[in-house]
Amino acid sequence: MEKYSGILLLLLPILMSFVAVSLNSGYANAAVFLPPEDKPLVRHYYKKLNTCANVEPFVQHQVKLYWDKDKTITAKLLKLLYADCMVNGCDASVLLTGPNTERNSSKNARLDGYLLIDKIKKVLEIRCPRTVSCADILNLAVRDAVHYAGAPSYPVFLGRRDGVESKAEWIDYPSPSMSWEEGLAYFESKNLDVQDFVTLLGAHTMGQAHCSSFYDRLYDFQGTGKPDPSMKRSVLVKLRDQCPKNSKNDSPVYFNEEYGSNYTFTNKLYTKVLAHESLLRVDQQLSYGSDTGELVDEYAKSLELFRRGFALSISRMGGLKVLTGKNGEIRQDCKFTNKNNPNIN
C-alpha cells in the first residue's frame, strides 16, 4: 500500500498539473486519472467555443453571495452533487421535479441547494441563453462552495449536457451503517477506487448526520441490543443524550462540533476515525481496511494531502457517465426537461 503513503503528497500536484496541462491543450487525454467517459470533457469549454466565456466568474459570484449568508450551502451542494453523479451519472437528473423522480423520492427528502442552482441558471440564461448545462453549473457551484470553505479551487472539466429523464428507482445509496468492504464495493461499481472512497467520505467534516443514521450504533448494534463497541465511551454517552432511546427525535448532529458552526473544510473526520469518535459506522470502518486505514493515517497527519486528494477525487466523481455531444440537452430550467417546461411554447 506504499502508493498511498507519504509519496502521494508529492505525486498529487504532478497529477493535477498533468491533467490541467492536458485539458488546456484540448480534450482530456489525461483520462488515465479520470473515470471512463463516453466523450471527454474540456477545461474552459464555453470560453474556447466563445459561447459563454465568463461562465465561471458568473457562477463564482452567485455562490459567494449565497455562501456569505449561509455557510451550510457547501455541505448541501456536495450532497446534491453526490446524489446526482452516483446515481446514473452527472447529468443533473436529480434536479428534475415531478412524480417518481429522484428529487421527489423519500430517499432524497433532505437534499437541498436547489434554489442556488436555479438562481445561477436564471442569471446564465440571461447572459448566455440555452448554452450552459445544469450539470456543469452544479459541478462549478460545488467547486466554488468548497473552495470558500477551505478546499483548493480545482479545475472543473466542462461540456456536460443534461439528462432528459429521472427515476426514483435508480437510487441505490448504500446504508451509512455499511462496512468498509461494502462501501468500497459501491464506489468501485461506479468506476471509482479506494482513494476516492476514503477521500470523498472526508466531505462529512462539513455537514451533519441525523440520529436515524447512527441510532443502531448507540443502542442495538447489529442486533446485539448493545452499542457499537468501536465507539468511544464518552462519545456514546454524549450522542445518547442527543438521540434518546425509543425517541422519534431525528435531530441533526454535527460531524465536527468544533467546526460545525462555520462548516470549515478540515481533515478532522480522519482524526476522529483514529480516536473512535465517528458518528457513522462507514466512517469508523475506514480504520479497519489495510488500504483505507493507511489513507486515514495519511490524511489525519496532513490537511494539505487531504486537500489535494479531495480535488482529484471530486473531479473524478464529476466525470461519471457524463452526456456530451448530441446526447441529452441544455435545459432552460433545471427543474424541467425542455419538453416538459411550462414556460417554453
Side-chain angles (χ1 to χ4, degrees):
M1 183 58 185
E2 291 183 359
K3 62 181 177 180
Y4 295 119
S5 66
I7 194 172
L8 188 58
L9 185 57
L10 299 175
L11 182 60
L12 275 169
I14 298 173
L15 297 184
M16 292 302 292
S17 297
F18 182 77
V19 172
V21 168
S22 297
L23 287 168
N24 283 330
S25 65
Y27 286 90
N29 294 321
V32 289
F33 302 122
L34 298 172
E37 301 168 352
D38 293 334
K39 292 183 180 180
L41 300 175
V42 181
R43 182 74 173 124
H44 299 307
Y45 174 78
Y46 300 101
K47 187 173 184 179
K48 288 180 177 179
L49 294 181
N50 197 30
T51 53
C52 196
N54 293 316
V55 60
E56 295 195 38
F58 291 156
V59 173
Q60 186 179 55
H61 177 67
Q62 293 300 323
V63 173
K64 185 61 164 63
L65 290 176
Y66 204 103
W67 188 86
D68 284 342
K69 296 181 294 184
D70 181 8
K71 302 296 188 293
T72 68
I73 192 60
T74 300
K76 292 172 182 175
L77 289 178
L78 275 168
K79 190 172 183 180
L80 197 58
L81 182 66
Y82 173 87
D84 185 43
C85 293
M86 298 295 271
V87 176
N88 203 49
C90 302
D91 63 351
S93 58
V94 74
L95 304 179
L96 289 172
T97 190
N100 302 316
T101 59
E102 298 163 64
R103 178 168 175 167
N104 285 10
S105 168
S106 60
K107 295 179 181 178
N108 282 337
R110 292 196 175 108
L111 286 184
D112 205 344
Y114 300 110
L115 291 179
L116 175 56
I117 300 303
D118 288 340
K119 171 66 174 177
I120 295 171
K121 181 61 175 174
K122 287 180 181 179
V123 170
L124 289 175
E125 280 299 305
I126 293 172
R127 297 176 180 273
C128 313
R130 305 186 183 188
T131 300
V132 183
S133 70
C134 299
D136 276 348
I137 290 172
L138 179 56
N139 276 267
L140 287 170
V142 168
R143 186 270 307 277
D144 294 333
V146 295
H147 176 55
Y148 290 131
S153 183
Y154 52 88
V156 174
F157 315 136
L158 301 172
R160 299 169 188 78
R161 288 169 66 85
D162 299 320
V164 294
E165 60 179 343
S166 178
K167 298 180 180 180
E169 64 196 58
W170 291 341
I171 300 174
D172 61 350
Y173 310 139
S175 166
S177 295
M178 64 183 166
S179 66
W180 71 265
E181 294 97 335
E182 293 169 324
L184 178 56
Y186 177 73
F187 271 67
E188 288 179 337
S189 74
K190 306 297 182 178
N191 282 323
L192 298 175
D193 61 24
V194 63
Q195 183 184 329
D196 301 319
F197 171 50
V198 177
T199 306
L200 292 174
L201 284 186
H204 286 163
T205 194
M206 288 178 288
Q208 300 173 329
H210 288 256
C211 293
S212 58
S213 298
F214 53 86
Y215 183 88
D216 59 323
R217 298 190 71 205
L218 306 182
Y219 301 104
D220 189 24
F221 181 65
Q222 296 187 330
T224 62
K226 299 178 181 180
D228 186 343
S230 69
M231 181 178 286
K232 191 174 181 179
R233 181 65 186 178
S234 60
V235 175
L236 174 64
V237 171
K238 188 174 185 178
L239 291 177
R240 279 182 165 181
D241 183 59
Q242 293 176 275
C243 305
K245 188 175 184 179
N246 298 324
S247 170
K248 294 184 179 181
N249 172 32
D250 195 21
S251 299
V253 177
Y254 285 122
F255 280 102
N256 293 289
E257 288 186 342
E258 309 97 304
Y259 298 90
S261 61
N262 60 9
Y263 283 70
T264 303
F265 182 92
T266 78
N267 59 344
K268 292 298 180 181
L269 178 128
Y270 304 103
T271 60
K272 285 184 174 290
V273 168
L274 295 177
H276 294 275
E277 297 177 350
S278 301
L279 292 186
L280 304 183
R281 183 184 181 227
V282 64
D283 293 341
Q284 189 59 58
Q285 278 278 301
L286 294 178
S287 63
Y288 298 118
S290 59
D291 289 359
T292 59
E294 190 165 340
L295 276 165
V296 167
D297 287 338
E298 293 296 326
Y299 286 157
K301 293 174 183 175
S302 173
L303 173 59
E304 184 58 24
L305 180 62
F306 173 50
R307 292 177 80 250
R308 293 180 184 277
F310 187 82
L312 182 62
S313 288
I314 199 168
S315 295
R316 284 168 51 79
M317 186 177 75
L320 293 175
K321 294 178 65 176
V322 296
L323 299 174
T324 59
K326 295 183 179 180
N327 295 317
E329 65 181 13
I330 304 297
R331 289 183 216 144
Q332 287 185 253
D333 186 324
C334 294
K335 298 186 295 297
F336 308 102
T337 62
N338 291 336
K339 180 180 179 180
N340 296 322
N341 189 337
N343 297 315
I344 296 179
N345 295 324

